[in-house]
Coordinates of all heavy atoms in Angstrom, one line a residue:
M1 N 82.0 106.8 142.2 CA 83.1 107.5 141.4 C 83.1 107.2 140.0 O 82.7 106.1 139.6 CB 84.5 107.1 142.0 CG 84.8 107.5 143.4 SD 86.5 107.0 143.7 CE 86.9 108.2 144.8
T2 N 83.4 108.2 139.2 CA 83.4 108.0 137.7 C 84.8 107.8 137.3 O 85.7 108.5 137.7 CB 82.8 109.2 137.0 OG1 83.5 110.3 137.3 CG2 81.3 109.3 137.3
E3 N 85.0 106.8 136.4 CA 86.3 106.6 135.9 C 86.5 107.2 134.6 O 85.5 107.2 133.8 CB 86.6 105.1 135.7 CG 86.6 104.3 137.1 CD 86.9 102.9 136.8 OE1 87.4 102.5 135.8 OE2 86.5 102.1 137.7
T4 N 87.6 107.7 134.3 CA 87.8 108.4 133.0 C 88.4 107.3 132.1 O 89.3 106.6 132.4 CB 88.8 109.6 133.1 OG1 90.0 109.1 133.6 CG2 88.2 110.7 133.9
K5 N 87.9 107.2 130.9 CA 88.4 106.2 129.9 C 89.6 106.9 129.3 O 89.7 108.0 128.9 CB 87.4 105.9 128.8 CG 86.2 105.1 129.3 CD 85.3 104.8 128.1 CE 84.2 103.8 128.6 NZ 83.4 103.4 127.4
Q6 N 90.6 106.0 129.1 CA 91.8 106.5 128.4 C 91.6 106.4 127.0 O 91.0 105.5 126.5 CB 93.0 105.6 128.8 CG 93.5 105.8 130.2 CD 94.7 105.0 130.5 OE1 95.1 104.2 129.7 NE2 95.4 105.3 131.6
K7 N 92.0 107.4 126.3 CA 91.8 107.5 124.8 C 92.8 106.5 124.2 O 94.0 106.5 124.4 CB 92.1 108.9 124.3 CG 91.6 109.1 122.9 CD 91.7 110.6 122.5 CE 91.1 110.8 121.2 NZ 91.1 112.2 120.8
R8 N 92.2 105.6 123.3 CA 93.1 104.6 122.7 C 93.7 105.2 121.4 O 93.1 105.9 120.7 CB 92.2 103.4 122.3 CG 93.0 102.3 121.7 CD 92.2 101.2 121.1 NE 91.2 100.6 122.0 CZ 90.5 99.6 121.6 NH1 90.6 99.0 120.4 NH2 89.6 99.1 122.4
K9 N 95.0 104.9 121.3 CA 95.7 105.4 120.1 C 95.2 104.6 118.9 O 95.0 103.4 119.0 CB 97.2 105.2 120.3 CG 97.9 106.2 121.1 CD 99.4 106.0 121.0 CE 100.1 107.2 121.6 NZ 101.6 107.0 121.5
P10 N 95.1 105.3 117.7 CA 94.8 104.5 116.5 C 95.8 103.5 116.2 O 97.0 103.7 116.4 CB 94.8 105.6 115.4 CG 94.8 106.9 116.1 CD 95.3 106.7 117.5
R11 N 95.3 102.3 115.9 CA 96.3 101.2 115.6 C 96.4 101.0 114.1 O 95.4 101.2 113.4 CB 95.8 99.9 116.3 CG 95.8 100.0 117.8 CD 95.3 98.8 118.5 NE 93.8 98.8 118.3 CZ 93.1 97.8 118.8 NH1 93.6 96.8 119.4 NH2 91.7 97.9 118.7
K12 N 97.5 100.6 113.7 CA 97.7 100.3 112.2 C 97.7 98.8 112.1 O 98.3 98.1 112.9 CB 99.1 100.9 111.7 CG 99.1 102.3 111.8 CD 99.1 102.8 110.4 CE 99.2 104.3 110.3 NZ 98.9 104.9 109.1
Y13 N 97.1 98.3 111.1 CA 97.0 96.9 110.8 C 97.6 96.6 109.4 O 97.3 97.4 108.5 CB 95.6 96.4 110.8 CG 94.9 96.6 112.1 CD1 94.0 97.7 112.3 CD2 95.1 95.7 113.1 CE1 93.4 97.9 113.5 CE2 94.4 95.9 114.4 CZ 93.6 97.0 114.5 OH 92.9 97.2 115.7
I14 N 98.4 95.6 109.3 CA 99.0 95.3 108.0 C 98.0 94.6 107.1 O 97.1 93.9 107.7 CB 100.3 94.5 108.1 CG1 100.1 93.2 108.8 CG2 101.4 95.3 108.8 CD1 101.3 92.2 108.8
N15 N 98.1 94.6 105.8 CA 97.1 94.0 104.9 C 97.0 92.5 105.1 O 95.9 92.0 104.9 CB 97.5 94.4 103.5 CG 97.3 95.8 103.2 OD1 96.6 96.5 103.8 ND2 98.0 96.3 102.2
E16 N 98.1 91.8 105.4 CA 98.1 90.4 105.6 C 97.2 90.0 106.8 O 96.4 89.1 106.7 CB 99.5 89.8 105.8 CG 100.4 89.9 104.6 CD 101.0 91.3 104.3 OE1 100.9 92.1 105.2 OE2 101.5 91.5 103.2
F17 N 97.2 90.8 107.9 CA 96.4 90.6 109.0 C 94.9 90.8 108.7 O 94.1 90.0 109.0 CB 96.8 91.5 110.2 CG 95.9 91.5 111.4 CD1 96.0 90.4 112.2 CD2 95.0 92.5 111.7 CE1 95.2 90.3 113.4 CE2 94.2 92.4 112.8 CZ 94.3 91.4 113.6
K18 N 94.6 91.9 107.9 CA 93.3 92.1 107.5 C 92.8 91.0 106.7 O 91.6 90.5 106.9 CB 93.2 93.4 106.7 CG 93.5 94.7 107.5 CD 93.6 95.9 106.6 CE 94.0 97.1 107.3 NZ 94.1 98.3 106.4
Q19 N 93.6 90.5 105.7 CA 93.1 89.4 104.8 C 92.9 88.1 105.6 O 92.0 87.4 105.3 CB 94.2 89.2 103.7 CG 93.7 88.2 102.7 CD 92.5 88.7 101.9 OE1 92.4 89.8 101.5 NE2 91.5 87.9 101.9
Q20 N 93.8 87.8 106.6 CA 93.6 86.7 107.4 C 92.2 86.7 108.2 O 91.5 85.7 108.2 CB 94.7 86.5 108.4 CG 96.0 86.1 107.8 CD 97.1 86.1 108.9 OE1 97.0 86.6 109.9 NE2 98.2 85.5 108.5
L21 N 91.9 87.9 108.7 CA 90.6 88.0 109.4 C 89.4 87.8 108.4 O 88.4 87.2 108.8 CB 90.5 89.3 110.1 CG 91.5 89.5 111.3 CD1 91.2 90.8 112.0 CD2 91.4 88.4 112.3
V22 N 89.5 88.4 107.3 CA 88.5 88.3 106.2 C 88.4 86.8 105.8 O 87.2 86.3 105.7 CB 88.7 89.2 105.0 CG1 87.8 88.9 103.9 CG2 88.6 90.7 105.4
D23 N 89.5 86.1 105.7 CA 89.4 84.7 105.3 C 88.8 83.9 106.5 O 88.0 82.9 106.2 CB 90.9 84.2 105.0 CG 91.4 84.8 103.8 OD1 90.7 85.3 102.9 OD2 92.7 84.7 103.6
L24 N 89.1 84.2 107.7 CA 88.4 83.6 108.8 C 86.9 83.7 108.7 O 86.2 82.7 108.9 CB 88.9 84.1 110.2 CG 90.1 83.6 110.8 CD1 90.5 84.4 112.0 CD2 90.0 82.1 111.1
Y25 N 86.5 84.9 108.4 CA 85.0 85.2 108.3 C 84.4 84.4 107.2 O 83.4 83.8 107.3 CB 84.9 86.7 108.1 CG 83.4 87.1 107.8 CD1 82.5 87.1 108.9 CD2 83.0 87.5 106.6 CE1 81.2 87.4 108.7 CE2 81.7 87.9 106.4 CZ 80.8 87.9 107.4 OH 79.5 88.3 107.2
H26 N 85.1 84.3 106.0 CA 84.5 83.6 104.9 C 84.6 82.1 105.1 O 83.8 81.3 104.5 CB 85.3 83.9 103.6 CG 85.0 85.3 103.1 ND1 83.7 85.7 102.7 CD2 85.8 86.4 102.9 CE1 83.7 86.9 102.3 NE2 85.0 87.4 102.4
S27 N 85.4 81.6 106.0 CA 85.5 80.2 106.3 C 84.4 79.8 107.3 O 84.3 78.6 107.6 CB 86.9 79.8 106.8 OG 87.1 80.3 108.1
G28 N 83.7 80.7 107.8 CA 82.5 80.4 108.7 C 82.6 80.9 110.1 O 81.7 80.7 110.9
K29 N 83.7 81.5 110.5 CA 83.8 82.1 111.9 C 82.9 83.3 112.0 O 82.8 84.1 111.1 CB 85.2 82.4 112.2 CG 85.4 82.8 113.7 CD 86.9 82.7 114.1 CE 87.0 82.9 115.6 NZ 88.3 82.7 116.1
R30 N 82.2 83.4 113.1 CA 81.2 84.5 113.3 C 82.0 85.8 113.4 O 83.0 85.9 114.0 CB 80.4 84.2 114.5 CG 79.5 83.1 114.4 CD 78.6 82.8 115.6 NE 78.8 83.7 116.7 CZ 78.1 83.7 117.8 NH1 77.1 82.9 117.9 NH2 78.3 84.6 118.7
R31 N 81.3 86.8 112.9 CA 81.9 88.2 112.9 C 82.1 88.7 114.3 O 83.1 89.3 114.6 CB 80.8 89.1 112.2 CG 81.1 90.6 112.2 CD 80.0 91.3 111.4 NE 79.9 92.6 111.8 CZ 79.1 93.2 112.6 NH1 78.2 92.4 113.3 NH2 79.0 94.4 112.9
C32 N 81.1 88.5 115.2 CA 81.3 89.0 116.5 C 82.4 88.3 117.3 O 83.1 88.9 118.1 CB 79.9 88.9 117.3 SG 79.3 87.2 117.5
D33 N 82.6 87.0 117.0 CA 83.8 86.3 117.6 C 85.1 86.8 117.2 O 86.0 87.0 118.0 CB 83.7 84.8 117.3 CG 82.5 84.1 118.0 OD1 81.9 84.7 118.9 OD2 82.0 83.0 117.5
I34 N 85.2 87.1 115.9 CA 86.5 87.7 115.3 C 86.7 89.0 116.0 O 87.9 89.3 116.4 CB 86.4 87.8 113.8 CG1 86.3 86.4 113.2 CG2 87.6 88.5 113.2 CD1 86.0 86.4 111.7
C35 N 85.7 89.9 116.0 CA 85.9 91.2 116.6 C 86.3 91.2 118.0 O 87.1 91.9 118.5 CB 84.6 92.0 116.3 SG 84.3 92.4 114.6
R36 N 85.7 90.3 118.8 CA 85.9 90.2 120.2 C 87.3 89.6 120.4 O 88.1 90.1 121.2 CB 84.9 89.2 120.9 CG 85.0 89.3 122.4 CD 84.0 88.4 123.1 NE 82.6 88.7 122.6 CZ 81.9 87.8 121.9 NH1 82.3 86.6 121.7 NH2 80.6 88.1 121.5
E37 N 87.7 88.6 119.7 CA 89.0 87.9 119.9 C 90.2 88.8 119.5 O 91.2 88.8 120.2 CB 89.0 86.7 119.0 CG 90.3 85.8 119.2 CD 90.2 84.5 118.4 OE1 89.1 84.1 118.0 OE2 91.3 84.0 118.1
Y38 N 90.0 89.6 118.5 CA 91.1 90.5 118.0 C 91.0 91.9 118.5 O 91.7 92.7 118.1 CB 91.2 90.3 116.5 CG 91.7 89.0 116.1 CD1 90.8 88.0 115.7 CD2 93.1 88.6 116.2 CE1 91.2 86.8 115.3 CE2 93.5 87.4 115.8 CZ 92.5 86.4 115.4 OH 93.0 85.2 115.0
D39 N 89.9 92.2 119.3 CA 89.7 93.5 119.8 C 89.6 94.6 118.7 O 90.4 95.6 118.8 CB 90.7 93.8 120.9 CG 90.4 95.1 121.7 OD1 89.2 95.4 121.8 OD2 91.3 95.8 122.1
I40 N 88.8 94.4 117.7 CA 88.6 95.4 116.7 C 87.1 95.8 116.6 O 86.2 95.0 117.0 CB 89.1 94.9 115.3 CG1 88.4 93.7 114.9 CG2 90.6 94.8 115.3 CD1 88.6 93.3 113.5
A41 N 86.8 97.0 116.2 CA 85.4 97.4 116.1 C 84.7 96.7 114.9 O 85.3 96.4 113.9 CB 85.4 98.9 115.8
H42 N 83.4 96.5 115.2 CA 82.6 95.8 114.2 C 82.6 96.6 112.8 O 82.7 96.0 111.8 CB 81.2 95.6 114.7 CG 81.1 94.6 115.8 ND1 81.0 93.2 115.6 CD2 81.1 94.8 117.1 CE1 81.0 92.6 116.8 NE2 81.0 93.5 117.7
S43 N 82.5 97.9 113.0 CA 82.4 98.7 111.7 C 83.7 98.6 110.9 O 83.7 98.6 109.7 CB 82.1 100.2 112.1 OG 83.1 100.7 113.0
L44 N 84.8 98.6 111.6 CA 86.1 98.4 111.0 C 86.2 97.1 110.3 O 86.6 97.0 109.1 CB 87.3 98.6 112.0 CG 88.7 98.4 111.4 CD1 89.0 99.6 110.4 CD2 89.7 98.5 112.6
F45 N 85.8 96.0 110.9 CA 85.8 94.7 110.3 C 84.9 94.6 109.1 O 85.3 94.1 108.1 CB 85.5 93.6 111.3 CG 85.5 92.3 110.8 CD1 86.7 91.7 110.4 CD2 84.4 91.6 110.6 CE1 86.8 90.4 109.8 CE2 84.4 90.3 110.0 CZ 85.6 89.7 109.7
D46 N 83.7 95.2 109.2 CA 82.8 95.3 108.1 C 83.4 96.0 106.9 O 83.2 95.6 105.7 CB 81.5 95.9 108.5 CG 80.7 95.1 109.5 OD1 81.0 93.9 109.6 OD2 79.8 95.7 110.1
K47 N 84.1 97.1 107.2 CA 84.8 97.8 106.1 C 85.8 97.0 105.4 O 85.9 97.0 104.2 CB 85.4 99.1 106.7 CG 86.2 100.0 105.8 CD 86.8 101.1 106.5 CE 87.7 101.9 105.6 NZ 88.4 103.0 106.3
W48 N 86.6 96.2 106.1 CA 87.6 95.3 105.6 C 87.0 94.2 104.7 O 87.5 94.0 103.6 CB 88.5 94.6 106.6 CG 89.3 95.6 107.4 CD1 89.7 96.8 107.1 CD2 90.0 95.3 108.6 NE1 90.5 97.4 108.1 CE2 90.7 96.4 109.0 CE3 90.1 94.1 109.4 CZ2 91.5 96.4 110.2 CZ3 90.8 94.2 110.6 CH2 91.5 95.3 111.0
V49 N 85.9 93.7 105.2 CA 85.2 92.6 104.4 C 84.7 93.2 103.1 O 84.9 92.7 102.0 CB 84.0 92.0 105.2 CG1 83.2 91.1 104.3 CG2 84.6 91.2 106.4
K50 N 84.1 94.4 103.1 CA 83.6 95.1 102.0 C 84.7 95.4 101.0 O 84.6 95.1 99.8 CB 82.8 96.3 102.4 CG 82.2 97.1 101.2 CD 81.5 98.3 101.7 CE 80.9 99.1 100.6 NZ 80.3 100.3 101.0
Q51 N 85.8 95.9 101.5 CA 86.9 96.3 100.6 C 87.5 95.0 99.9 O 87.8 95.0 98.7 CB 88.0 97.0 101.4 CG 87.7 98.3 101.8 CD 88.7 99.0 102.7 OE1 89.5 98.3 103.4 NE2 88.8 100.3 102.6
A52 N 87.6 93.9 100.7 CA 88.1 92.7 100.1 C 87.2 92.1 99.1 O 87.7 91.6 98.1 CB 88.3 91.6 101.2
E53 N 85.9 92.3 99.2 CA 85.0 91.7 98.2 C 84.9 92.6 97.0 O 84.8 92.1 95.9 CB 83.6 91.6 98.9 CG 83.5 90.5 99.9 CD 82.1 90.6 100.6 OE1 81.4 91.5 100.5 OE2 81.9 89.6 101.4
I54 N 85.0 93.9 97.1 CA 84.9 94.8 96.0 C 86.2 94.8 95.1 O 86.1 94.5 93.9 CB 84.6 96.3 96.5 CG1 83.2 96.3 97.0 CG2 84.8 97.2 95.3 CD1 82.9 97.7 97.7
S55 N 87.3 95.0 95.7 CA 88.5 95.2 94.9 C 89.7 94.2 95.3 O 90.7 94.1 94.6 CB 89.0 96.6 95.0 OG 89.5 96.9 96.3
G56 N 89.5 93.6 96.4 CA 90.6 92.8 96.9 C 91.8 93.5 97.6 O 92.8 93.0 98.0
S57 N 91.6 94.8 97.7 CA 92.6 95.7 98.2 C 92.1 96.4 99.4 O 90.9 96.8 99.5 CB 93.1 96.7 97.2 OG 94.0 97.7 97.7
F58 N 93.0 96.7 100.4 CA 92.6 97.4 101.6 C 92.9 98.9 101.5 O 92.8 99.7 102.5 CB 93.1 96.8 102.8 CG 92.6 95.4 103.0 CD1 93.5 94.3 102.7 CD2 91.3 95.2 103.4 CE1 93.0 93.0 102.9 CE2 90.9 93.9 103.6 CZ 91.7 92.8 103.4
H59 N 93.5 99.4 100.4 CA 93.9 100.8 100.3 C 92.7 101.6 99.9 O 91.9 101.2 98.9 CB 95.0 100.9 99.2 CG 96.2 100.2 99.6 ND1 97.1 100.7 100.6 CD2 96.8 99.1 99.2 CE1 98.1 99.9 100.7 NE2 97.9 98.8 99.9
E60 N 92.5 102.8 100.5 CA 91.3 103.6 100.1 C 91.3 104.0 98.7 O 90.3 104.1 98.1 CB 91.4 104.9 101.0 CG 91.1 104.6 102.5 CD 89.7 104.1 102.7 OE1 88.7 104.5 102.0 OE2 89.5 103.3 103.6
K61 N 92.5 104.3 98.1 CA 92.6 104.7 96.8 C 92.0 103.7 95.8 O 91.4 104.0 94.8 CB 94.1 105.0 96.4 CG 94.3 105.5 95.0 CD 95.8 105.9 94.8 CE 96.4 104.6 94.3 NZ 97.8 104.8 93.8
D62 N 92.2 102.4 96.1 CA 91.7 101.3 95.2 C 90.2 101.0 95.4 O 89.7 100.4 94.6 CB 92.5 100.0 95.5 CG 94.0 100.2 95.3 OD1 94.4 101.0 94.4 OD2 94.8 99.5 95.9
N63 N 89.6 101.6 96.4 CA 88.2 101.3 96.7 C 87.3 102.5 96.4 O 86.2 102.5 96.9 CB 88.1 100.8 98.1 CG 88.6 99.5 98.3 OD1 88.1 98.5 97.8 ND2 89.7 99.3 99.0
R64 N 87.8 103.5 95.7 CA 87.0 104.7 95.4 C 86.0 104.4 94.2 O 86.4 103.7 93.3 CB 87.8 105.9 95.0 CG 88.7 106.4 96.2 CD 89.4 107.7 95.8 NE 90.3 108.1 96.8 CZ 91.5 108.5 96.6 NH1 92.0 108.5 95.4 NH2 92.2 108.9 97.7
T65 N 84.8 105.0 94.3 CA 83.9 104.9 93.2 C 84.4 105.8 92.1 O 85.1 106.7 92.3 CB 82.5 105.2 93.6 OG1 82.5 106.6 94.0 CG2 82.0 104.4 94.8
P66 N 83.9 105.6 90.9 CA 84.3 106.5 89.8 C 83.9 108.0 90.1 O 84.5 108.9 89.7 CB 83.5 106.0 88.5 CG 83.3 104.5 88.9 CD 83.2 104.4 90.3
E67 N 82.7 108.1 90.8 CA 82.3 109.5 91.1 C 83.2 110.1 92.1 O 83.5 111.3 92.0 CB 80.9 109.4 91.7 CG 79.8 109.1 90.8 CD 79.6 107.6 90.6 OE1 80.2 106.8 91.4 OE2 79.0 107.2 89.6
Q68 N 83.8 109.4 93.1 CA 84.7 109.9 94.0 C 86.0 110.3 93.3 O 86.6 111.4 93.6 CB 85.0 108.9 95.1 CG 83.9 108.7 96.1 CD 84.1 107.5 97.0 OE1 84.7 106.5 96.7 NE2 83.6 107.7 98.3
E69 N 86.5 109.5 92.4 CA 87.7 109.8 91.6 C 87.5 111.1 90.8 O 88.4 111.9 90.8 CB 88.0 108.6 90.6 CG 88.5 107.4 91.3 CD 89.9 107.5 91.8 OE1 90.6 108.4 91.5 OE2 90.2 106.6 92.6
E70 N 86.3 111.2 90.2 CA 86.0 112.4 89.4 C 86.0 113.6 90.3 O 86.5 114.7 89.9 CB 84.7 112.3 88.6 CG 84.4 113.4 87.7 CD 83.1 113.3 87.0 OE1 82.3 112.4 87.3 OE2 82.9 114.1 86.1
L71 N 85.4 113.5 91.4 CA 85.3 114.6 92.4 C 86.7 115.1 92.8 O 87.0 116.3 92.8 CB 84.5 114.3 93.6 CG 84.3 115.4 94.6 CD1 83.6 116.6 94.0 CD2 83.5 114.8 95.8
I72 N 87.6 114.2 93.1 CA 89.0 114.5 93.5 C 89.7 115.2 92.3 O 90.4 116.2 92.5 CB 89.7 113.2 93.9 CG1 89.1 112.7 95.3 CG2 91.2 113.5 94.0 CD1 89.6 111.4 95.7
K73 N 89.5 114.6 91.1 CA 90.1 115.2 90.0 C 89.7 116.7 89.7 O 90.5 117.6 89.5 CB 89.8 114.4 88.7 CG 90.4 114.9 87.4 CD 90.0 114.0 86.3 CE 90.3 114.7 85.0 NZ 89.1 115.2 84.4
L74 N 88.4 116.9 89.8 CA 87.8 118.2 89.6 C 88.2 119.2 90.7 O 88.4 120.4 90.4 CB 86.2 118.1 89.6 CG 85.7 117.4 88.3 CD1 84.2 117.3 88.5 CD2 86.0 118.2 87.1
R75 N 88.4 118.7 91.9 CA 88.8 119.6 93.0 C 90.3 120.1 92.7 O 90.6 121.2 93.0 CB 88.7 118.9 94.4 CG 87.3 118.9 94.9 CD 87.2 118.2 96.2 NE 85.8 118.3 96.7 CZ 85.4 117.6 97.7 NH1 86.1 116.7 98.3 NH2 84.1 117.7 98.1
K76 N 91.1 119.1 92.3 CA 92.5 119.5 92.0 C 92.5 120.5 90.8 O 93.3 121.5 90.9 CB 93.3 118.2 91.6 CG 93.6 117.4 92.8 CD 94.5 116.2 92.4 CE 94.8 115.2 93.5 NZ 95.5 114.0 93.1
E77 N 91.7 120.2 89.8 CA 91.7 121.1 88.7 C 91.2 122.5 89.1 O 91.7 123.5 88.6 CB 90.8 120.5 87.6 CG 90.7 121.3 86.3 CD 89.8 120.7 85.2 OE1 89.6 119.5 85.3 OE2 89.4 121.4 84.4
N78 N 90.2 122.6 89.9 CA 89.6 123.9 90.4 C 90.7 124.6 91.2 O 90.9 125.8 91.0 CB 88.4 123.6 91.3 CG 87.7 124.8 91.6 OD1 87.7 125.8 90.9 ND2 86.9 124.8 92.7
Q79 N 91.4 123.9 92.0 CA 92.5 124.6 92.8 C 93.6 125.1 91.9 O 94.1 126.2 92.1 CB 93.1 123.6 93.8 CG 94.2 124.2 94.7 CD 94.8 123.2 95.7 OE1 94.5 122.0 95.5 NE2 95.5 123.6 96.6
Q80 N 93.9 124.4 90.8 CA 95.0 124.8 89.9 C 94.5 126.1 89.1 O 95.2 127.0 89.0 CB 95.2 123.7 88.9 CG 96.2 124.1 87.8 CD 97.6 124.2 88.3 OE1 98.0 123.6 89.3 NE2 98.4 125.1 87.7
L81 N 93.2 126.1 88.7 CA 92.7 127.2 88.0 C 92.6 128.5 88.9 O 92.9 129.6 88.4 CB 91.3 126.9 87.5 CG 91.3 125.9 86.3 CD1 89.8 125.5 86.0 CD2 92.0 126.4 85.1
K82 N 92.3 128.3 90.2 CA 92.3 129.4 91.1 C 93.7 130.0 91.2 O 93.8 131.2 91.3 CB 91.7 129.0 92.5 CG 90.3 128.8 92.5 CD 89.8 128.4 93.9 CE 88.3 128.2 94.0 NZ 87.9 127.8 95.4
M83 N 94.7 129.1 91.3 CA 96.0 129.7 91.4 C 96.5 130.4 90.2 O 97.1 131.5 90.3 CB 97.0 128.5 91.7 CG 97.0 127.9 93.1 SD 98.0 126.5 93.4 CE 99.3 126.6 92.3
E84 N 96.1 129.9 89.0 CA 96.5 130.5 87.8 C 95.7 131.9 87.7 O 96.3 132.9 87.2 CB 96.1 129.7 86.6 CG 97.0 128.4 86.4 CD 96.5 127.5 85.3 OE1 95.5 127.8 84.6 OE2 97.1 126.4 85.2
N85 N 94.5 131.9 88.1 CA 93.7 133.2 88.1 C 94.4 134.2 89.0 O 94.5 135.4 88.6 CB 92.3 132.9 88.5 CG 91.3 134.0 88.2 OD1 91.6 134.8 87.4 ND2 90.2 134.1 88.9
D86 N 94.8 133.8 90.2 CA 95.4 134.8 91.1 C 96.8 135.3 90.5 O 97.1 136.5 90.6 CB 95.8 134.1 92.4 CG 94.5 133.8 93.3 OD1 93.5 134.5 93.0 OD2 94.6 133.0 94.2
I87 N 97.5 134.4 89.8 CA 98.8 134.9 89.2 C 98.5 135.9 88.1 O 99.1 136.9 88.0 CB 99.5 133.7 88.6 CG1 100.0 132.8 89.8 CG2 100.6 134.1 87.7 CD1 100.6 131.5 89.3
L88 N 97.4 135.6 87.3 CA 97.1 136.6 86.2 C 96.6 137.9 86.7 O 96.9 138.9 86.2 CB 96.0 135.9 85.3 CG 96.5 134.8 84.4 CD1 95.4 134.1 83.7 CD2 97.6 135.2 83.4
K89 N 95.9 137.9 87.8 CA 95.4 139.1 88.5 C 96.6 139.9 88.9 O 96.6 141.2 88.7 CB 94.5 138.8 89.7 CG 93.1 138.4 89.3 CD 92.3 138.1 90.5 CE 90.9 137.6 90.2 NZ 90.1 137.3 91.5
Q90 N 97.6 139.3 89.6 CA 98.7 140.0 90.0 C 99.6 140.5 88.9 O 100.1 141.7 88.9 CB 99.6 139.1 90.9 CG 99.0 138.7 92.2 CD 99.8 137.7 93.0 OE1 100.8 137.2 92.5 NE2 99.3 137.4 94.2
A91 N 99.7 139.8 87.8 CA 100.4 140.2 86.6 C 99.7 141.4 86.0 O 100.4 142.4 85.6 CB 100.5 139.1 85.6
A92 N 98.4 141.4 86.0 CA 97.6 142.5 85.4 C 97.8 143.8 86.2 O 97.9 144.9 85.7 CB 96.1 142.2 85.3
L93 N 97.9 143.7 87.6 CA 98.1 144.8 88.4 C 99.5 145.4 88.2 O 99.7 146.6 88.2 CB 98.0 144.4 89.9 CG 96.5 144.2 90.4 CD1 96.5 143.7 91.8 CD2 95.7 145.5 90.3
I94 N 100.5 144.5 88.1 CA 101.9 145.0 87.8 C 102.0 145.7 86.5 O 102.6 146.7 86.4 CB 102.9 143.8 88.0 CG1 102.9 143.3 89.4 CG2 104.3 144.2 87.5 CD1 103.7 142.0 89.6
L95 N 101.5 145.1 85.4 CA 101.6 145.7 84.1 C 100.7 146.9 84.0 O 101.0 147.8 83.2 CB 101.1 144.6 83.1 CG 102.1 143.4 82.9 CD1 101.5 142.5 81.9 CD2 103.4 143.9 82.4
G96 N 99.6 147.0 84.8 CA 98.8 148.2 84.7 C 99.5 149.4 85.3 O 99.2 150.6 85.0
R97 N 100.4 149.2 86.2 CA 101.1 150.3 86.9 C 102.2 150.9 85.9 O 102.6 152.1 86.1 CB 101.8 149.8 88.1 CG 100.9 149.5 89.2 CD 101.6 149.2 90.5 NE 100.8 148.3 91.3 CZ 101.3 147.5 92.3 NH1 102.6 147.5 92.5 NH2 100.5 146.8 93.0
K98 N 102.7 150.2 85.0 CA 103.8 150.7 84.1 C 103.3 151.6 83.1 O 102.3 151.7 82.6 CB 104.5 149.5 83.6 CG 105.3 148.7 84.6 CD 106.1 147.6 84.0 CE 106.9 147.0 85.1 NZ 107.8 145.9 84.6

């Protein structure tokens, strides 16, 4: 018989917990032991360690590269220009009828 795995709900971790695990790792505890003991994925733990080393923050916004920041800024600007363009097109249609 095959068993169906229940889908695990995403869990939220507070920054203090993340920092404690990173500190455990830096103090010499093995990565696999930490992940097994606290039931977290290795990739998630690696992400926390990387974030702590780069910026000391676990927020995505604080860990963006300058290129990612620029891309977000340009996308917002592009969206704004498209909206302005649509408004001008509608205004031209309205004024053209009069």
